[in-house]
């Protein structure tokens, strides 16, 4: 016997009305889906990093966003400062002046290598900052999408260990069950 169930979705002010089966009852409980939530979360995160996570009510992610971006910005400024120190010391050596501090003992080759090292790390820190900013936006968008999925006890996917009846070996099985 084949049974087909059909539910109509009604549109109310850009919101779709869906239904969820309430446990231990025979009626359906409506819940709403906001199709603009992912774009709002991404927009808020683009304006101010972490704001999309606040919009999604995932407050624990905000310190992670700021710690990652803050650390990469700190390393960018530190490497930029060191780069300029070594560059100025190299310019002083070329002009015949003695560089200040401990940089006076370094030869021109070491000053050039130090410049390249800090320039490379400065640029890498900037790329990491930009990558974390983009990751922040994508994470807020994906999280807002995933919050709209209907995840309840009626639908489950569980791994099981099942014994084969022919040769008595155990096989790993994924069991997909849906309860009406």
């Amino acid at each position: 016997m084949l049974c087909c169930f059909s539910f109509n979705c009604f549109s109310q002010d850009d919101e779709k009305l869906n239904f969820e089966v309430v446990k231990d009852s025979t009626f359906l409980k409506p819940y709403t889906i906001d199709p603009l939530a992912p774009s709002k979360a991404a927009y808020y995160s683009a304006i101010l990093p972490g704001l999309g996570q606040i919009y999604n009510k995932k407050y624990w992610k905000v310190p992670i966003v700021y710690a990652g971006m803050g650390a990469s910005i700190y390393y960018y400024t530190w490497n930029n400062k060191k780069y300029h120190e070594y560059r100025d010391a190299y310019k002083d050596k070329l002009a015949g002046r003695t560089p200040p501090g401990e940089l006076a003992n370094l030869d021109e080759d070491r000053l050039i290598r130090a410049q390249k090292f800090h320039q490379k790390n400065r640029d890498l820190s900037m790329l990491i900052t930009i990558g974390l900013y983009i990751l922040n936006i994508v994470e807020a968008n994906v999280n807002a999408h995933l919050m709209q999925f209907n995840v309840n006890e009626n639908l489950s996917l569980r791994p099981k260990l099942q014994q084969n009846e022919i040769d008595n070996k155990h096989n790993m099985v994924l069991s997909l069950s849906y309860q009406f």
Side-chain angles (χ1 to χ4, degrees), residues 47-61:
I47 290 177
L48 181 67
L51 198 57
Q53 284 75 13
I54 293 172
Y55 175 76
N56 290 336
K57 295 180 177 62
K58 302 289 183 178
Y59 305 109
W60 63 272
K61 293 180 181 180

Side-chain angles (χ1 to χ4, degrees), residues 9-19 30-35:
C9 295
F10 301 101
S11 176
Q12 297 176 349
D13 297 328
D14 291 333
E15 293 181 352
K16 291 184 180 176
L17 189 62
N18 294 318
F19 294 92
Y31 65 96
T32 58
I33 291 177
D34 183 11

Side-chain angles (χ1 to χ4, degrees), residues 16 18-19 26 49 69 84 89 104 115 124 156 170:
K16 291 184 180 176
N18 294 318
F19 294 92
T26 58
M69 290 186 70
H84 285 290
Q115 282 181 61
L124 182 62
S156 64
H170 292 293

